[in-house]
């Protein structure tokens, strides 16, 4: 058998790609580079609210989930 493990591919819009990058990046200890998320309007406002709740932190241009988040 030869396969790729993929069931299919779909083309993502710029916003969808940024959303995927955000969700995948928050799973990593280093977080995600904010500059790579420019297509997500209102992200800084939402991130600030989550930071106030202690769920994420913004440091060195990166957004990271905290232990609580």
């Amino acid at each position: 058998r030869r396969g790729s493990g993929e069931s299919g591919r779909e083309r993502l819009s710029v916003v969808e790609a940024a959303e995927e990058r955000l969700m995948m990046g928050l799973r990593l200890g280093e977080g995600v580079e904010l500059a790579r998320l420019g297509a997500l309007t209102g992200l800084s406002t939402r991130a600030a609210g989550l930071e106030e709740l202690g769920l994420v932190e913004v440091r060195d241009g990166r957004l990271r989930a905290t232990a609580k988040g």
Side-chain angles (χ1 to χ4, degrees):
R1 281 179 134 185
R2 291 185 185 190
S4 66
E6 293 181 18
S7 61
R9 290 183 180 212
E10 67 180 80
R11 194 169 291 274
L12 300 178
S13 71
V14 173
V15 172
E16 290 170 328
E19 289 170 342
E20 289 290 324
R21 192 173 296 117
L22 171 63
M23 296 307 295
M24 295 301 288
L26 286 175
R27 299 176 100 197
L28 303 174
E30 71 249 18
V32 63
E33 193 176 350
L34 286 170
R36 299 195 66 206
L37 303 174
L40 298 178
T41 57
L43 178 64
S44 59
T45 302
R46 290 183 283 173
L50 294 172
E51 193 169 24
E52 285 180 23
L53 295 172
L55 300 174
V56 299
E57 67 179 4
V58 178
R59 189 173 50 191
D60 301 325
R62 301 187 76 83
L63 179 67
R64 297 176 185 84
T66 63
K68 183 179 176 183

